[in-house]
Amino acid sequence: MSAMKSSGWVYTFGLVAAWYSSNIGLLLLNKYLLSNYGFKYPIFLTMCHMTVCSLLSYIAIVWMKMVPMHSVNSRVQFMKISALSLIFCASVVSANISLKYLPVSFNQAIGATTPFFTAVFAYLITLKMESWLTYVTLIPVVAGVIIASGGEPSFHLFGFIMCLGATAARALKSVGQEILLSSEEEKLDSMNLLLYMAPIAVVLLLPVTLFVEENVVSITLALAREDTRIIWLLLFNSALAYFVNLTNFLVTKHTSALTLQVLGNAKGAVAVVVSILIFKNPISATGMLGYSLTVFGVILYGEANKRSK
């Protein structure tokens, strides 16, 4: 019995390690490609992610049967999934654009304000009020980002706006997903949702890519002739984008949403440390203080949420 329990712990630890590695790896590789390598096409990069996610989702669900496949039951449900896909695209594209201009450490500090935007959208859309304690815990979340912004040596206004937009879109997607797919007939697990959202995202992103980042395909092919690494980097980067979603689903399934939230807070801090070590971006004491305050606020928010339920 103890051997089974121990193997269960090893499996869960392995899943969490895979989730951390894929999350932080994707973030750092996106930063490397868009900023250090000089591949300045964030929309095309997102489209590559969604194309590979479509293919790997199909293989995992239809061929490997990792989870039962759920069908889309109505045109209305399809429209809801399409709306979520549009918000998802906006979030990922904005996040990738922000990485061109901001260091990963500051990007993570802004991303930690997701609970603030979630609470705002939940109230605006559903008029659902949280307990006063929950709202009080959001004060250090926002204050921390304001302090971090003031002390950020590499602050870039456009990058900051893009990162805020990505964070808000991420929160809007989670609130929208809860509302739009709340009925038992329409509920989809995250793997099935990605199976339907990713191809829709490709269709949405293709015309935008061709219009905003014209000649990106010929530029990428020309770049590949000079340096074949770019093809492998794009393929590996896109596969990582899928594994982020896969490991996210598996960790939630084998632990709980609350555990995932706690692990997510720690992941942000690990990503900050690793990115500073790799990219050696300057960071001030004020910036670190602000980020620490935000993470502290997020932890308090999680605790307040748990108690209110």
Side-chain angles (χ1 to χ4, degrees), residues 17 19-32 36 99 103-106 108 265-283 288 291:
W19 181 60
Y20 263 53
S21 305
S22 56
N23 261 278
I24 296 170
L26 179 67
L27 188 66
L28 297 177
L29 193 49
N30 281 347
K31 176 65 180 173
Y32 173 75
N36 296 58
L99 281 171
V104 171
S105 51
F106 189 43
Q108 287 296 285
N265 297 336
K267 175 184 63 67
V270 173
V272 168
V273 173
V274 173
S275 74
I276 292 168
L277 290 173
I278 292 175
F279 297 113
K280 297 186 169 44
N281 56 282
I283 184 155
M288 280 309 293
Y291 180 64

